[in-house]
Amino acid sequence: MQFTPQQLTGGPKYHHKTRIGNWSEDLELEEIKLKDYLKKKETGSLIVTAKQRQLESSLKQDELSSSPDGLLHFGMKVMLVNHQSKGALSVNPYDVVTKSHTAYMVTTSPIGSPCLRNVFLIERADDADGFEDDVVHYGQNVRIKLCPFSEITTDAFLHSEMVTGLAAAKFSRHQEVTALTVPNGETLWQALYPDTNSRFEMDGEPVQTGAPLVMRHVQTGSFLASDEIPYHNIFGVEFE
């Protein structure tokens, strides 16, 4: 392809309509670009359209469970809000993490309304755990389950593991928290009373809905935490 001196120096002095230089190639290139744009628009593969679909599939509104007796029961839909980052625990179905099984990145998001990516189910880990009712008790092993949506085709469970060279939070290098698609020993958690002076006495007592609590990872003994460390993704700026 031959270029005019104006094109070589970066000056758009002449347009293909003037029939000077490589006007035919310029015209053909513009037609190709237009056809490519129209094709992507028809098939919905434009970047803007694809991102809009991703957001809609993840931010679809969901409902939280009500509790007439004011207690937290297994099977209830809940949100977990971190007091430090002031964000709701959320899963990104487009951020896949390398684990033994498929896993997805977990962050805390300033989006406060319940939606598919931040509403979890409290699941009993062991039916023979010594508690007769279906109420969640302090110190009882539970799993925090996310129902399938968007790219997540199966149930996913809140997961963490010891820090290694291959498993650590991206920025703080603390324990990484993900949503793993297989329930195992690393997906067990306990709700503990936040006041350490009364924690022992409250062990085994029912958990109130909406009450502050701390979540301890059973296998490592670490507490679920989030800090105001920016984590950029398709949902904007969230926190690690």
Side-chain angles (χ1 to χ4, degrees):
M1 181 182 291
Q2 299 296 320
F3 296 94
T4 64
Q6 289 78 14
Q7 288 175 315
L8 290 173
T9 57
K13 195 96 173 183
Y14 295 102
H15 194 264
H16 63 79
K17 292 181 179 180
T18 59
R19 301 287 193 259
I20 292 178
N22 55 329
W23 62 270
S24 181
E25 289 84 351
D26 288 344
L27 180 60
E28 186 68 22
L29 183 61
E30 287 194 7
E31 290 179 351
I32 291 173
K33 287 181 179 179
L34 178 60
K35 290 178 181 178
D36 183 56
Y37 168 79
L38 293 175
K39 183 179 179 180
K40 287 182 177 180
K41 186 176 180 181
E42 290 176 359
T43 58
S45 58
L46 285 173
I47 294 177
V48 175
T49 307
K51 183 176 180 180
Q52 182 66 27
R53 284 205 308 269
Q54 290 176 343
L55 293 175
E56 288 177 354
S57 66
S58 300
L59 300 178
K60 185 178 179 181
Q61 188 175 0
D62 202 354
E63 291 185 4
L64 301 178
S65 300
S66 59
S67 178
D69 59 1
L71 299 178
L72 187 63
H73 294 260
F74 289 108
M76 289 180 62
K77 288 185 174 182
V78 300
M79 291 176 64
L80 292 173
V81 178
N82 181 268
H83 283 236
Q84 172 66 20
S85 67
K86 299 177 179 63
L89 195 72
S90 305
V91 178
N92 184 354
Y94 307 102
D95 191 354
V96 181
V97 187
T98 303
K99 300 289 179 185
S100 57
H101 298 86
T102 305
Y104 303 89
M105 184 54 64
V106 173
T107 55
T108 53
S109 170
I111 298 175
S113 56
C115 59
L116 296 179
R117 66 182 296 250
N118 64 18
V119 172
F120 298 84
L121 269 74
I122 306 298
E123 188 176 83
R124 196 169 196 154
D126 183 8
D127 291 332
D129 53 14
F131 297 97
E132 301 297 330
D133 52 22
D134 69 338
V135 176
V136 180
H137 298 261
Y138 289 112
Q140 186 176 9
N141 286 0
V142 301
R143 285 192 171 92
I144 303 172
K145 183 175 74 173
L146 183 77
C147 295
F149 75 98
S150 187
E151 301 297 308
I152 304 177
T153 57
T154 61
D155 291 338
F157 302 85
L158 197 66
H159 163 272
S160 190
E161 59 186 316
M162 291 293 292
V163 175
T164 66
L166 299 176
K170 186 175 181 180
F171 301 108
S172 67
R173 307 309 295 173
H174 293 159
Q175 275 185 217
E176 187 177 45
V177 181
T178 61
L180 193 71
T181 52
V182 175
N184 58 20
E186 295 176 336
T187 60
L188 294 175
W189 301 83
Q190 292 176 340
L192 301 182
Y193 195 71
D195 186 357
T196 55
N197 295 323
S198 306
R199 184 170 296 170
F200 180 77
E201 290 81 359
M202 292 299 294
D203 194 51
E205 292 296 317
V207 178
Q208 301 282 335
T209 56
L213 50 79
V214 292
M215 297 300 300
R216 181 174 65 185
H217 188 237
V218 173
Q219 190 174 86
T220 63
S222 295
F223 292 95
L224 183 64
S226 179
D227 208 342
E228 296 178 5
I229 302 174
Y231 197 108
H232 296 263
N233 55 32
I234 67 168
F235 301 99
V237 180
E238 299 187 332
F239 300 114
E240 187 177 67

